[in-house]
Amino acid sequence: MSINIYDRDDFFEEYNKLERSQKGLDGALEWPLLRDMVGDVKDARILDLGCGMGWFCEWAVKEGSKSVRGVDISNNMLERARARVPQGTFDRADLETFTLKDDDQYDLVYSSVALHYLPDITRLVGQVYAGLVPGGRFVFSVEHPVFTSPRHAGWRWDPDHPSEKIWPVNAYSDESKRVTNWLAEGFEKYHRTMETYLTTLLSAGFRLVALKEWMVTEETVALNPGWRYERDRPLFLLISVEKPA
Ligand SMILES: C[S@@+](CC[C@H](N)C(=O)[O-])C[C@H]1O[C@@H](n2cnc3c(N)ncnc32)[C@H](O)[C@@H]1O
């Protein structure tokens, strides 16, 4: 089974303090862009991979979706999702081995910042393709490959231009585990190139609908000058693909 850091007390305590844990989708920086890619969910049958606390499922129910199902590896997360969205179905599963049943049929499969926890998404993408109706969409966000790439993640001062910071995009071709200290020591995730994300989806049979690279806007920087450097590096990769009708 994959590592389940969200059920580790020290990590979960810190995760609970984040804006996205306190405010839900309104506290998720990439949500406005992702919501535009998701579009209308009225009457849709929805599967949320790595559903976390169920914020997206809650939103989808309010928007009139027909059914919502969330899958996550963390009991902490599922407990909150079940309490938040009594209309939903929530299953504990590891996305590395998660398998859909033959009669599982979805109009939308969604995933928000979860797939970079998996060493390989090829099998899961095949499952998603099989579980979508023709014309159905798979919309997801992950940490951007530029963000996941460095072996030792962190801004550096540019030695030639001391007032400027650099994000070191080294090891880009090394698609493997990265260990950082996000919220707790020994936080693990996986780096994949942009090419791998795209070819995995296209090879499964999907058609690309949209691809966005999330960075903070000038407006955000004007309000929070400390975010200035986030204009220099994309933080999230957002992809929407469709199973051809
Ligand atoms: C950053 S949180 C995002 C949660 C939610 N999608 C959101 O946007 O608020 C990542 C989620 O992925 C889940 N996750 C990580 N690895 C997983 C795996 N192998 N199988 C299932 N869920 C996993 C975590 O438990 C966590 O709930």
Side-chain angles (χ1 to χ4, degrees), residues 2 6 15 20 50 52 72-74 77 93-95 112-113 117-118:
S2 299
Y6 288 79
Y15 187 81
R20 65 189 313 136
D72 205 285
I73 199 172
S74 158
M77 290 297 212
D94 181 351
L95 294 176
S112 159
V113 281
Y117 290 85
L118 307 182

Side-chain angles (χ1 to χ4, degrees), residues 74-93:
S74 158
N75 283 323
N76 276 339
M77 290 297 212
L78 289 167
E79 195 181 303
R80 279 154 185 81
R82 288 182 183 121
R84 174 160 292 115
V85 196
Q87 306 91 329
T89 305
F90 293 96
D91 300 317
R92 183 162 194 244

Side-chain angles (χ1 to χ4, degrees), residues 2 19 22 26 42 48 55 59 79 88 95 101 114 134 138 142 153 168 175 188 203 209-210 228 233 236 240:
S2 299
E19 285 238 319
Q22 303 278 332
D26 290 337
K42 190 158 172 18
D48 182 353
W55 297 105
W59 174 85
E79 195 181 303
L95 294 176
K101 297 199 187 75
F138 181 27
V142 283
E175 301 188 288
E188 295 182 1
S203 303
V209 176
R228 184 158 55 94
R233 168 204 68 181
F236 301 109
S240 170

Side-chain angles (χ1 to χ4, degrees), residues 1-7 11 15 18 20-21 24-25 28 30 34 48-56 71-75 77-78 92-98 110-119 141 143 182 187:
M1 195 163 211
S2 299
I3 286 188
N4 175 10
I5 197 168
Y6 288 79
D7 281 348
F11 180 88
Y15 187 81
L18 298 181
R20 65 189 313 136
S21 306
L25 299 177
E30 73 287 10
L34 199 53
D48 182 353
L49 302 174
C51 63
M53 299 178 175
W55 297 105
F56 176 76
V71 174
D72 205 285
I73 199 172
S74 158
N75 283 323
M77 290 297 212
L78 289 167
R92 183 162 194 244
D94 181 351
L95 294 176
E96 265 194 86
T97 49
F98 175 64
Y110 172 89
S111 181
S112 159
V113 281
L115 300 186
H116 53 271
Y117 290 85
L118 307 182
S141 66
E143 288 185 359
W182 184 61
F187 175 79

Side-chain angles (χ1 to χ4, degrees), residues 224-245:
N224 311 280
W227 283 83
R228 184 158 55 94
Y229 291 106
E230 294 299 341
R231 293 283 299 152
D232 291 348
R233 168 204 68 181
L235 197 49
F236 301 109
L237 172 65
L238 281 56
I239 294 183
S240 170
V241 288
E242 184 182 69
K243 178 170 175 170

Side-chain angles (χ1 to χ4, degrees), residues 1-196:
M1 195 163 211
S2 299
I3 286 188
N4 175 10
I5 197 168
Y6 288 79
D7 281 348
R8 222 174 79 183
D9 290 346
D10 58 337
F11 180 88
F12 196 63
E13 196 182 319
E14 291 304 310
Y15 187 81
N16 264 314
K17 295 177 190 164
L18 298 181
E19 285 238 319
R20 65 189 313 136
S21 306
Q22 303 278 332
K23 298 185 183 165
L25 299 177
D26 290 337
L29 298 164
E30 73 287 10
W31 169 243
L33 206 52
L34 199 53
R35 183 187 52 213
D36 286 348
M37 292 166 80
V38 165
D40 186 8
V41 296
K42 190 158 172 18
D43 297 327
R45 291 157 295 177
I46 297 176
L47 173 65
D48 182 353
L49 302 174
C51 63
M53 299 178 175
W55 297 105
F56 176 76
C57 290
E58 179 187 43
W59 174 85
V61 167
K62 285 188 185 145
E63 293 289 310
S65 62
K66 189 173 183 182
S67 64
V68 293
R69 177 184 180 196
V71 174
D72 205 285
I73 199 172
S74 158
N75 283 323
N76 276 339
M77 290 297 212
L78 289 167
E79 195 181 303
R80 279 154 185 81
R82 288 182 183 121
R84 174 160 292 115
V85 196
Q87 306 91 329
T89 305
F90 293 96
D91 300 317
R92 183 162 194 244
D94 181 351
L95 294 176
E96 265 194 86
T97 49
F98 175 64
T99 304
L100 288 169
K101 297 199 187 75
D102 285 346
D103 55 353
D104 285 341
Q105 288 283 278
Y106 298 98
D107 303 293
L108 172 69
V109 178
Y110 172 89
S111 181
S112 159
V113 281
L115 300 186
H116 53 271
Y117 290 85
L118 307 182
D120 184 13
I121 58 167
T122 311
R123 197 200 61 85
L124 182 65
V125 167
Q127 287 289 308
V128 171
Y129 190 87
L132 278 168
V133 297
R137 279 172 305 130
F138 181 27
V139 180
F140 67 91
S141 66
V142 283
E143 288 185 359
H144 195 287
V146 165
F147 182 70
T148 56
S149 172
R151 278 206 189 90
H152 307 287
W155 293 98
R156 311 274 194 278
W157 290 107
D158 182 345
D160 299 323
H161 305 279
S163 63
E164 288 196 22
K165 282 184 179 176
I166 293 176
W167 182 257
V169 184
N170 65 350
Y172 189 79
S173 63
D174 178 9
E175 301 188 288
S176 63
K177 187 189 288 183
R178 300 290 189 274
V179 182
T180 70
N181 292 331
W182 184 61
L183 303 182
E185 297 230 338
F187 175 79
E188 295 182 1
K189 60 187 174 186
Y190 288 85
H191 167 65
R192 261 181 289 284
T193 64
M194 185 79 88
E195 179 179 323
T196 295

